[in-house]
Structures are given as structure tokens and as C-alpha cells.
Amino acid sequence: MATTKKTAPKAPKATAKKTSPKLPQHIGLVKNDGWLEPFEDAIKGRHDHALWKLNQITHNGKQKLSDFANGHVYYGLHQTPRGQWIFREWAPNATDIYLVGDFNNWEENEKYRCKRIEGTGNWELKLPKKAMKHGDLFKMHVKWNGGEGERIPAWIQRVVQDEQTKIFSAQVWAPEQPYQWKKKTFKPNKSPLLIYECHIGMGEDAEKVGTYTEFKDNILPRVIKDGYNCIQIMAIQEHPYYGSFGYHVSSFFASSSRFGTPEELKALIDEAHKNGIAVIMDIVHSHAVKNEVEGLGNLCGDPNQFFYPGDRHEHPAWDSLCFDYGKDEVIHFLLSNCKYWLEEFHFDGFRFDGVTSMLYYSHGLGEAFCNYADYFNGHQDDNAICYLTLANCLIHEVNKNAITIAEEVSGMPGLAAKFEDGGYGFDYRMAMNIPDYWIKTIKEQSDENWKPSSIFWEVKNRRPDEKTISYCESHDQALVGDKTIIFRLIDADMYWHFAKKDINGVAERGIALHKMIRLVTAAAINGGYLNFMGNEFGHPEWIDFPREGNGWSYKYARRQWNLVDNKDLCYHWLGDFDREMLRVIKSQKNFQNTPVLEIWHNDGDQVLAFMRGDLVFVFNFSPTQSFTDYGFLVPTGSYDVVLNTDSKDFGGFGFADDSVTHVTNYDPLYVEDHKEWLKLYIPARSAVVLKKN
């Protein structure tokens, strides 16, 4: 898509002096990558901009960044210790604000009329305890010069939808017994980080919207059993349209009421923590829904209150609005949002959605990103870069063990590098090249042309100073209009030949490659591995949320756990393999930090072998050629098979005897290297993992 180039906006005025500590001769990001040296001034400029803004909003360090991010404590509806009510809203363009709701028959009256706080854009209303009660529905009736309308407060923490009218309203939420956390402290296990990406609503087998409680009771035990140590939950922030997958957010501080109450979400997170499972959420700060009544689109007669003006106002591809990251009030809103979810719900961090869209004036649309100059050509939004950097500083200040992940496709250098090195401070970035590679390979290459050298390069293609989350497919590859890996491999034969008694060659090929693709991807991680729920067992078909085009059906907006539970079907083989794969990876201490050492590759044979610690991974991608006594030079010793994709337990043929201990064969040429020949039988289209004794 063609885009118009724009000049970078000037930095907003500040009262604080723009200062920066003396930097080393080369900032760390450049030290780690000499190819960035021509752009060092730009890197330092972004770093200085973030430091300047940090100094400004913390009054030159007189307060913490987390003290600045307390908007959720001040704004919105709150109850005092004595039970009285205080409501505040930032609405600079408003001329009058009334609260209307169940407590006053939805009619304006003076008792519920807010007052502007002099000299500010803030409005305030103080009410006695009896003026409203837990569960009451309400909205703001906002007036401005030339118009008026009902609005849901921007900072409200509870929003519900009427089942009949489908109208959203704010809700007074002050239960007599606040949730009591059973697991008060928790430290995520990142060695390695194994993420189960999930969606609460589509987590059930039934054709309906699942709940937080059902997920806690029915799905979380599966995650625990499968060996994942983190769940990444989508669609938590309230969104008007269910089919948006949670990416068109309206109320940023409200957990989606479709799935239950805030207390039920807290109970889910508490239960996960009790079982050693970290919980991170998809946070959407890249854009907002255009809706005016439910969202922030026109809160008080100023469409640009939260969003960029002019041609930067709307996202051209997402039909949404783009935050103005140059406004202190917007930064305050978004940073407070991060802190709120961490402290109120004990989330362990965030996967930031749509980071590419934030970084570039073009939103990354129509950009090729062919060389480093494309990242420093003046077409980047320095305000957004500054916000993302501050967000990472804040999150790790609030919780030093928090996890932040950037979903970013352009390859912007420094995204997951340390702030002090000139980076943006994310802990990880999504390795979005990997699923694209697998789709392209499956679609365009015959099995005989799969090249191990290309596969190995792709699963290791990352910046050495940035950790990544590797994955074969996420929810993106499962959405309507696309295909999961298993469906690309088997397609319609899944309907007719995925029962064990009816399995055919197409299904056998798909099962074999599904396991190999996952194993080679997971085996090469340098940070973490992600799987979208159900894909571990080859969930069939696509995801299609209820909409007019499908008769508002939930048939494809669910997970059919009955398939993997049925031992007469092939799905459980893939699920069982996934569980064993994670077990093997976790058997090597600090697997993600262990060097990936290539042992051998031969594109003609389609064979690849590499080692991590005491684990040896061997792949034969050839669809037809099996090899007897195929030799690899490895450290001297004996090796036992700990995982074999061709095992009958995982739907393979069981051609090799995995009970045999493999002892290396002496070769005088390699005595000084302490290496000998490991000779294996490797059947076609299979992979084996061995562990050194």
C-alpha cells in the first residue's frame, strides 16, 4: 500500500532541561552491532528524548516514574474508606458533565452534576455513600459547545453489555468482599519461557463464550499438564465487537465482562500462580476503537483529545484511531494502564500488540525494510518510540520480574535491547519471521526441496543482543482466511483420514512434518517458545468469530478438546509429542542460553544436526530417503534417545530401536578435539533427540 512520507513532529515543550548522562564512546547498541554506527546519532537522539521525557514527568528524578503512572487511582469512580464516592474525568473540552444511571432514573439532576476543577481539564463529583450502590449502571452525559452525548468514562474499571439491547454501560463495582489473593508474590520461570497463547471466550468445547472460571477449571489444568509455564491471554481489555479478537479496545481499564467478573479473572490468575504459571496479557496501546458512545473516539466534543489530529488520526488499515503519544496526558493514561493491570490483577507482564504500527508514520504499510537506513530515515514516530521505552521502564520498576514482549514485524534494531544500551527495553520480541517462513515453505516448496541450511538459518535469525519468542504459528495463522500448519499440510483429508483406522499417506506426512517443524523451531530458541491453544494437537480448521456472514455462529470460535481426548483419533499423538518436546527442552538447564552449535547439514541429503548442552538434535527432512549409520562428529561418550518423532507413541512408524544406547566410534583424527563419530539410523521425514550420558 503506497504511503505519503511525513516529517517528524517536534518534541513537545517541557519545563525540564533536556539532559543525558555522559554516554560511552559508542552506545551499547552500536557496540553490539557495528553496522549501526552510521546511525548512532539517531539512536542517541531517541535515547536522549526518552531521558528528557523521563526527567520531565518525574521532575528530574524527584519522584518515581511509577508515581506519575497513578492516574487510575485518581480518575474514574472510587469509594473512600468511609464508603463515599468520588468520580473524576479528564474532559477539557466539556462544558458540563452529569452522571446518569440506575440511581437517578437516567435523568440529569444537580446532585449528580460534576464540577470542573479550576485551571484544569478535570471534572469531579463527590457523593454520599447512599447515592449509588454496587451493580448500578451509569454513563456520563457530556455537553460541549455545539453538541452533547452519553459516554462511558475513559478511566472506568467495569463495563457491561445488556444482552438484549447490546448497549454498553459503566457499572459501579465495589463488592463488599474484595478478592483475597492466596498467592501474594510470584516470580515467573523464564528458563525458558514457554507460552500458551489463549483466548478465554473461545476456550470451551461448547459453541458459546467461555468464562474466566471455566478456563480456570477446564483449560488451565491442560496447560499445566502440557508443561507450559506461562499463559498469554488475549482480549482482556473491554471491546465492543467480539469478533475483533480484542484488538479494538473501548475501555482500557475494564476487564471484559463477557467472560465474567474482575474477581473471577483474579481467581484465574491466582490459580495459575499457585501452579507456577505466569500470566501475561495482550495489551493494545497501538490504537483504539472508533466508537464514540463506548470508546474514546469523541469523549467530550474533541475527537483529538486522545488521538493524533489530521491525516494521522485514523489507522488506514485497521479502521481505528491512533493515540497521540506526544501528549503528556495520553502518556499518563497509557502508563497508568500498564501499572493498573500489574497491580490490580497481578499480571506478570504484557505482549504489546501492533508495535510496528506505532513505530512508523506509515504504520509499516507498504514498507520493505531492506536495510538499516529504513529504520532511521526520519519516518519514525519518536513520540511512540519514547512512550514504548518509558512503558518498559515503568513496568520493570513496578515489577522487576515482569515480562514484556513486542509484536513487531519490521525488525527495528534495539527493540529488545536494554534501555541503557540505547534500546527500548523489551525483554523479548516476537520472531515473526519464523511462521512466515513455514507458511512460505509449505505453500511454495515441494518436500524434496526443503533445505536444512535454510531452515536452520531462519530459526536462528535474530539479533545476538535481543531475546526472541519463537513460534511456528500463533492466533494470526489460525484466523479466518488463513490456515494453520496442520491444515496446510493435510487440508480436507483431516475430515476423512484423521481416525487411526482410516489414516492415509497425506495425514501421515502432515503428522510427521507437524512434529518436525515444531521441534526444530523450539530447539533453536534463545528466549522462549509460543503456541496458540489447540495448535499443539493440530486443531482443525480456522477461527471465525460470530458475525453476520456466518449467521452469528460460534462453531469456529471454540476449541474442540474432545478431539485430543479421543484416543481413536490422531490428534492426541500430536498433543502427546508436544508435551514430551517441552519436557526434553526443560531437561537442559538454562536451555535458552545454551549455545546452538551446528554439527552438520547437507541439503542434498536434507539432514541437519545441532547440539545444545548435552542434547543432540538430528533431522532428516527427506520424504523418501532413510539413512543407515549416518555419522556425526560429537563429543566423545554415550548417548540415549530421549525423543523421536517417528515413535509409534506419536503416530510414527517406530522404525528405529530407541532403547539402544549409542556409543561414539573412535577416530584418531579428532582425538585432540575430544570428538568421535555418532552413527545413527534416521528414517525419512523424522527427527530424533539424544542426550549425552
Side-chain angles (χ1 to χ4, degrees), residues 4 40-41 88 93-94 111 126 218 232 244 266 274 281 303 317 376 381 476 512 532 551 563 574 585 611 639 677 685:
T4 302
E40 185 161 17
D41 287 345
R88 297 188 186 96
N93 198 54
K111 180 180 178 180
K126 295 181 179 180
N218 302 331
Q232 175 183 307
S244 75
K266 291 174 183 178
K274 283 166 54 183
M281 66 175 277
F376 305 99
D381 187 343
D476 287 331
F532 180 69
L563 297 176
L574 299 178
I585 286 173
M611 194 165 189
Y639 294 79
W677 291 98
R685 205 178 272 145

Side-chain angles (χ1 to χ4, degrees), residues 408-457:
E408 205 281 319
V409 72
S410 78
M412 171 68 77
L415 200 65
K418 295 178 180 178
F419 174 49
E420 54 265 32
D421 289 339
Y424 300 0
F426 283 98
D427 296 304
Y428 306 91
R429 65 190 305 158
M430 301 290 291
M432 300 185 74
N433 58 298
I434 297 177
D436 289 345
Y437 172 80
W438 287 124
I439 290 173
K440 185 177 178 66
T441 299
I442 295 169
K443 284 175 64 176
E444 300 178 6
Q445 298 291 333
S446 63
D447 293 6
E448 292 80 6
N449 291 327
W450 287 31
K451 290 182 169 54
S453 60
S454 175
I455 293 170
F456 192 53
W457 186 88

